[in-house]
Amino acid sequence: ERPAGINRWHRGRLVLVGDSAHAMPPFLGQGANQAIQDAVCLSRWLRQVGFSETSKSSSLTGLAAEAALLGYTAQRLPPVALLGFESGFLGQVETLPGSLGSFVRDNFFRLVGKTGVAPLVFLNGAISRV
């Protein structure tokens, strides 16, 4: 896991995406999904400042590139922080020890299933945020 408060996902030409930027507990299975969304988001921000492999000047220097990288982080940090929180919470509930833990876990999931909360939590990560 990586704390959500770490909000610096780039330094110079090095840019973090996926688990290297925002590793989270595995209980929602969002690693690959979020990495793909990061890549799409990053490419859109870089395209806005004219950075591409075919451009004559493909260096990531300058204020425009820095602004694009900060924009990427600002756009992606809130949704992945929320998913990390949700995944951590579910992990705590799923791994409660003993018979009391089993009772709490089973009734928690029964309740969120019947109230319609479960699909909201599990589908939240599947919705594209880019």
Side-chain angles (χ1 to χ4, degrees):
E1 292 180 46
R2 187 160 185 220
I6 297 177
N7 57 8
R8 181 91 175 159
W9 292 357
H10 75 281
R11 182 177 297 151
R13 295 176 54 97
L14 175 69
V15 182
L16 302 176
V17 297
D19 285 347
S20 64
H22 48 72
M24 61 183 73
F27 298 98
L28 286 174
Q30 286 295 311
N33 186 21
Q34 296 309 307
I36 292 168
Q37 291 190 53
D38 287 352
V40 170
C41 181
L42 177 59
S43 69
R44 287 179 180 168
W45 278 97
L46 291 173
R47 188 179 321 118
Q48 286 180 9
V49 298
F51 178 82
S52 71
E53 290 182 27
T54 58
S55 69
K56 293 178 183 174
S57 172
S58 62
S59 68
L60 271 178
T61 59
L63 294 176
E66 180 71 14
L69 297 176
L70 290 171
Y72 152 69
T73 302
Q75 184 176 353
R76 293 296 299 145
L77 186 59
V80 297
L82 178 60
L83 282 171
F85 172 77
E86 290 172 346
S87 185
F89 176 78
L90 285 175
Q92 292 296 315
V93 172
E94 289 176 10
T95 59
L96 289 170
S99 58
L100 179 59
S102 296
F103 176 79
V104 170
R105 178 186 58 243
D106 294 347
N107 285 298
F108 171 79
F109 284 113
R110 188 173 295 115
L111 176 67
V112 297
K114 288 183 179 181
T115 60
V117 173
L120 297 176
V121 171
F122 288 107
L123 291 177
N124 181 40
I127 297 170
S128 177
R129 305 280 186 231
V130 293

